[in-house]
Every structure is written in structure tokens, then in C-alpha cells.
Amino acid sequence: MPRSKKRNNRGAPHRGVQPFSDEDASIETLSHCSSLSDAASVAEEGGEVCEDTTQEDFEYKLKGYIDSAMDKSAKTRLTALDGLKIAMASKMQYEFLLERRMTITDSIERCLKKGKGDEQRAAASLACLLCIQLGSGIESEEAFKTLKPIFKNILADGTANIQARQACATALGVCSLVAEDDILDVYATMECFESLFTKSYVKEDGTRTVFSAQTTVLHINALLAWTLLLTICSNTEVKKILKKHLPKLPSLLDSDDVNMRISAGQTIALLFELARDLDAEFEYEELEPLCAQLTALATDCNKHRAKNDKRKQRSVFRDVLKAVEEGDFQPETIRFGAERMYVDSWVKMRTYDAFRELLGSGMNYHLQANEFIRNVFELGAPMMVDSAKLKAMKISRFERVMYPNPLSPWTTFSFNPNMLTAKCKLLCANLECLNRLLIMSRCSLDKRYLLLTRAASRMCLNSFSLQQQ
């Protein structure tokens, strides 16, 4: 991604231990996604394991995976690649990976060239995670320059494994966003994607080429990667793309594949958003037929389509229709730790979805700790909040259920302000019901008293505020 080449100083000195299993990596995911500390303290019968020891274990297990990624056995290599993916998604290891980036890059290159199917797919995903760990700097650029020609060759090779081509399309898009320094190279990569997904366009004679389900997935991945890079294009390039692709993209809305329809709709919404950013008075000549097409998809009742597909499609296309007609976007709030991020545009949503697809459950951890990710979403420097303080800030699930926020529209404690007797009866009935639930949950007497007092005060406050309106 064309950004300043700042080197992020993160991580800790590495020492050695033994190769680890996927189960160990999963445990690390759980222990590190909830806190910004580089190593979690684990309580055991014999006492508390210090953070340095936990970090040592984690790093040595990573070393074991790195060594196994060069093994002669394809099964061993695949297990090692999967283990590295889980580890990189779950925890920041900048300094450790910085020293071993060339070794890891060589392993990825070898797996992409000599591996098959699942191994190539895992290697492509690992390349994305390596770039995300290293951030937008010289180190990630060097790794990507080595791997980019291989990604392009696999992507263009019609005889290559189709799942490997799908993974390479995603990897090429994400790595270009993170590590590509020259915007002209970004445009060249976008042309590679165009050569794939435009095959799904309706031809000039009105016919459409029928592709297999796996080839359609390849076209979808190419379209999503192309849309991701579209978010960093210059205004001049956006104008060219609007003129070239906006009239043709609606033909993808008639695809038999629900994911292709959804991806095309989200791309159209993003293009309209970019167009209105360039010109607030932007008008599309074919707006009326496009809105009619989007409305049909937003209210689709085709009996030949699966219920889940129709439900997902209707939800997405309601938002797409608002974006096209009114330039509106339904914002979402992403909470992570003590912070929150507002996703308030299609550009931001496409970027967030791309990283979330790779990082999975580790996305919230990287939003907290990864400087590159935070820079992309303009979150500033990481907030150093220890796990104890973070835990103290959280309200338990039991408390959330027992006394909901009286200002929330979902609060069930509502009263008729014109009927004082009815209000008192309802208050007593709710408190009695709450008391029974607390007794059934074997809550202590002190806690029952505290929760009942809070609930009564909140219900009275809610009743009083309604009476004042």
C-alpha cells in the first residue's frame, strides 16, 4: 500500500522451546485476543507462570513451525503453515518475524511453487498474514516482491488448482494493499483481476458464459480483491473505472450465484460512494433501471432459491439500494476492548471485511495492537490497557440480563404514565419475578439485594421520565 515506510517497533526478544500443536495455537488465540499484553499470565496449581516464560514457549513453538514448513512431507508442511497462520492471526510478533521474514518468505515461495491445492492455499493466506504483521514498510515490500510474480502466474494459469487460484487472488489483493509501494503497480494488478471477473459480464450479443461453481468463486474473489484496491485509487483512476465498469457491473446482478450478486451489489454501492465523493451532483444515466433491479433483489421471493440465500441477499440489497438512491450508508459499531470503531462507509466496510476474513477471531486483537491496522482505520496509537483493568470495565452477562439499560428501546420495563396504580403493580410484579430468578440462580443474599435495588431504582427512573414527557 503506498504509505510511509515507518518501521514498527513491536515484539520481544526470542528464545527457544519445542514445536507446538494446533491445540496450543488455539489456546494462544484465546489467551491473547482479549488483552494488549504481549504474553498472558496463566494460573496453575503450582503458581503463576511468568510472562517471559509464556513468550518463550510461544516463540519456540513458532520456530518449530517455521522449521517444519520446509519438511519433505506435504502433510507436515501443511500442518506447519496452518499453525503459523493461527499464531500470526492471534498475536503480534513483529520483532520475531522481522528476523525470520526471509526464511518464512522462502517457505511460502517453495510451497506455492511445489505444493498442491491445500498447501498452496495455506501458503497464500500465510503471505497475507506476514505482510499484515510486518506492516506497510520496506520489509513487507521485499517479501511481496518475491511472491507477487508467483501469485500472478498461478492466477493466470488455467491449468492450476482452482482453489489455489482463488487464494492467490485474495492474497494478491491484500498484499498489494499492504505492501505495494508504486500506485502504478496497483493499477496493473487491478487489470489482472479485471481479466478474470469481466468474463462473467454479459456479452455484447446479450449472452452469458456459463462457468462452474468453483470458477465463479474465482471470479468473485477477483472482484472483491479488485474492489479492495479500488479504495486506494486516485480520483483520476476512479473516473476511468466509473466510465468503464459501472455500465457493465449490473449484469452480474443476474448471476445464478448469490455471492456473485451480493459482491456485485456491494461493488456498485462503493462505486456510487466514490463517484459522489468526487462530485456531489453525480448522476447515473441508467439509474432508474438499476434501482428497479436492486429493488427486485431486495424483495426477492423466488421459490427456487434457498431461504438463507434470499434472507442474506435481501438484507444486503436493502442497504445497496439506499446507497444508490440516497447516498446513505447504515453505520456499524465495532467494539474491541475499551475502544470502538465506527464503520461509516462502503470503503471502510470493504477494507474491514478483507482483514476480518483473514484474521478471523483475531481481528479485534489486531485492531487493538497492530499499528498498521490501526493506521488504516485511523485509530491512532495502541491504547495500553492491561487485562485486569479491561476485565474490571466489563459488565457480566448475568448483570446485563438482570437489569437492562432503561434508555434502551428494548427495555421491557414500560409503564402507562396515566395509571399510577398500574405502575406500582407492574413494578412489584417485575421485582418479584426478578427475585425468583435470582433465588433460582443461587445468587447470594447480598448480591440479590444489590441487583434488586438497582433494578427498582432504574424502573422508577424510567417511569418518572415517561411521566415528565
Side-chain angles (χ1 to χ4, degrees), residues 23-257:
E23 182 180 355
D24 293 328
S26 299
I27 293 171
E28 289 294 338
T29 302
L30 294 174
S31 65
H32 294 295
C33 285
S34 61
S35 163
L36 279 179
S37 59
D38 282 340
S41 297
V42 182
E44 295 183 345
E45 292 181 1
E48 193 175 86
V49 180
C50 68
E51 293 184 1
D52 288 341
T53 303
T54 305
Q55 181 68 13
E56 287 175 0
D57 292 343
F58 190 77
E59 290 181 356
Y60 194 75
K61 291 168 185 176
L62 279 177
K63 288 180 183 177
Y65 275 153
I66 293 171
D67 292 340
S68 297
M70 302 291 285
D71 196 86
K72 293 182 179 180
S73 168
K75 186 177 180 180
T76 302
R77 292 197 303 270
L78 180 58
T79 302
L81 293 172
D82 287 337
L84 285 170
K85 283 167 54 183
I86 294 171
M88 289 189 194
S90 66
K91 185 181 178 185
M92 285 298 299
Q93 288 289 325
Y94 178 78
E95 295 293 344
F96 179 87
L97 295 174
L98 183 65
E99 295 178 5
R100 295 163 178 80
R101 68 185 187 280
M102 297 309 298
T103 303
I104 298 173
T105 303
D106 290 343
S107 299
I108 295 172
E109 182 180 10
R110 178 180 174 181
C111 291
L112 286 171
K113 286 182 175 179
K114 298 184 179 181
K116 296 180 180 179
D118 291 340
E119 185 179 343
Q120 290 177 306
R121 184 174 55 186
S125 298
L126 181 61
C128 296
L129 292 169
L130 178 62
C131 287
I132 291 172
Q133 284 271 347
L134 295 176
S136 182
I138 297 174
E139 295 81 11
S140 59
E141 287 176 26
E142 291 174 350
F144 183 49
K145 283 180 181 177
T146 302
L147 300 175
K148 182 168 72 170
I150 305 172
F151 287 147
K152 287 191 172 183
N153 288 339
I154 295 174
L155 196 58
D157 185 2
T159 62
N161 180 278
I162 190 67
Q163 293 181 339
R165 296 178 71 196
Q166 294 165 5
C168 285
T170 300
L172 186 57
V174 173
C175 291
S176 294
L177 180 79
V178 177
E180 189 65 84
D181 185 49
D182 190 345
I183 193 65
L184 295 179
D185 289 336
V186 172
Y187 299 156
T189 299
M190 292 178 71
E191 289 179 2
C192 292
F193 294 139
E194 289 176 13
S195 67
L196 291 173
F197 72 78
T198 53
K199 293 178 181 178
S200 291
Y201 283 168
V202 171
K203 298 179 181 178
E204 294 181 359
D205 59 1
T207 60
R208 184 193 300 274
T209 306
V210 179
F211 295 100
S212 66
Q214 289 296 327
T215 302
T216 300
V217 173
L218 172 62
H219 293 177
I220 293 170
N221 287 9
L223 176 61
L224 291 175
W226 179 83
T227 308
L228 179 65
L229 297 182
L230 179 61
T231 63
I232 60 171
C233 287
S234 66
N235 292 343
T236 304
E237 189 67 19
V238 169
K239 289 179 181 178
K240 293 179 182 177
I241 289 170
L242 283 168
K243 186 176 181 180
K244 180 179 179 182
H245 289 282
L246 191 54
K248 298 178 181 179
L249 274 168
S251 67
L252 298 180
L253 299 176
D254 295 325
S255 171
D256 293 331
D257 189 288

